[in-house]
Structures are given as structure tokens and as C-alpha cells.
Amino acid sequence: MAGLLLLGLAACGPAAEDSGRNDSAAAENGSGAAPAAAAPAPAPAEAALAPLQLEGHGLRISGAAPGTELPFNTPKAATIDALTKALGRPPTELGENEECGGGALEFAAWEGQITAWFESGRFAGWDNKGKLKTPQGIGIGSSRSEIARLRGLEVEDSTLGTEFRAGGLSGILDSKGPDAKVTDLWGGSTCVFR
């Protein structure tokens, strides 16, 4: 009896080890056993969230569950530290622009990604310089039909061109036409020359 029990346990061992086989291996064996649930394939790198999402009231740092808010009025040092960690590198430029329309603003720029603007030592605005997008997918290159979904959208001619505003976001379209694309996108107080 003990021999049969050991024989039965030995017979179970290989089956447990083979539980990760794919359906074709099970079909070749003719076992007819239900295949084990396959682990989901990893998402392609292109589908990964960008490190930041643009919002009308600040920024959202992706990857932290459920995401970390970086609202306007955050102290400058904390903002630069959070953006440095999210983007994986320090700013490429720090400075001040004294010729901004509303007065001098300090900035921290990550070339090709974003410029953060500061007023009185506090995060005041951002200027998108790359591929970053809003949670709704709006970014540089978005179409006029895409921004039409933004609540409270206003489009008007200004000294900057065809300008739009919605939910704390502002930007420029490359034309007045229905197929116009977003060429500039910012939120909060920035150094926009009018």
C-alpha cells in the first residue's frame, strides 16, 4: 500500500512541473487537460505611461500609484526634485526671464520635454516642449477635433495666432482650419509674449 502511495505521488510530480506548458504541447500529448492560464504579455514600451501628464492645475507624475499630483503653488525646490525624479535627469537649464508679460518668472527646463515656471518661489505653470500629453491625450500635434472634446473650449484669434483655452490649458493651433494641429501647449502662468 505504501508503495502504491509513493508511486501515485511520483506520478503527480511531472504533471505539476508541466502545468506551465502551452496548449500545443498539451494537444501533442493528447492529455486533454485544461491549459493553465497564461501570464499576460508585458506591454510594449510604447504603451508605457509617460513620466508626466499635463493638467490645467499642474502636473501628474505617472507610475506612482495612483499617481502623484504636482499642483501649482508647490514650492520650487520640491517641484524641481519631483520632476528630476520623474524625468530621470536634472534640468538642462535653470534661469529667470525678466521680460515676461506678467513680470519676471524663474524657470527650470528639461530640453525636449517641459519647462516649469516659478513665481515667488512657487510652481506657477508649465510649457510643453515635447511628447507629454494630458490624461485625455492632448499634446503637441493633437488635432482641432481632439481638442474640441475639452470642456469649455474657447478658440480665438490673438497676437499669437489661433489660440485656444480650456480647463486651465492654453495653446496655439497652426491654422483656423478643421484639420489644424496644436503647435504649443501650456498651463498656468508662463512667459508667453503677446
Side-chain angles (χ1 to χ4, degrees), residues 44-85:
E46 301 82 44
L49 280 178
L52 299 174
Q53 289 184 324
L54 310 171
E55 295 190 339
H57 59 274
L59 296 166
R60 178 177 298 274
I61 298 174
S62 304
T68 302
E69 295 284 333
L70 190 59
F72 295 140
N73 206 33
T74 300
K76 178 182 174 182
T79 302
I80 292 174
D81 183 56
L83 293 177
T84 296
K85 288 177 183 172

Side-chain angles (χ1 to χ4, degrees), residues 37-159:
E46 301 82 44
L49 280 178
L52 299 174
Q53 289 184 324
L54 310 171
E55 295 190 339
H57 59 274
L59 296 166
R60 178 177 298 274
I61 298 174
S62 304
T68 302
E69 295 284 333
L70 190 59
F72 295 140
N73 206 33
T74 300
K76 178 182 174 182
T79 302
I80 292 174
D81 183 56
L83 293 177
T84 296
K85 288 177 183 172
L87 297 171
R89 62 186 174 116
T92 51
E93 185 179 3
L94 294 169
E96 181 175 4
N97 191 328
E98 296 179 1
E99 299 178 9
C100 299
L105 292 175
E106 294 179 295
F107 66 89
W110 284 261
E111 187 176 353
Q113 291 180 298
I114 195 166
T115 298
W117 294 94
F118 304 95
E119 186 171 21
S120 302
R122 299 282 188 173
F123 180 34
W126 53 260
D127 189 1
N128 186 19
K129 299 293 185 189
K131 298 179 181 180
L132 299 175
K133 297 185 181 293
T134 69
Q136 300 83 15
I138 304 300
I140 304 295
S142 292
S143 68
R144 186 169 182 156
S145 62
E146 289 173 311
I147 67 165
R149 297 187 303 245
L150 295 173
R151 187 182 320 167
L153 178 67
E154 297 175 12
V155 180
E156 65 182 15
D157 288 332
S158 76
T159 57

Side-chain angles (χ1 to χ4, degrees), residues 16-60:
E17 290 174 12
D18 289 344
S19 66
R21 291 183 303 170
N22 63 23
D23 291 344
S24 62
E28 288 173 15
N29 192 12
S31 68
E46 301 82 44
L49 280 178
L52 299 174
Q53 289 184 324
L54 310 171
E55 295 190 339
H57 59 274
L59 296 166
R60 178 177 298 274

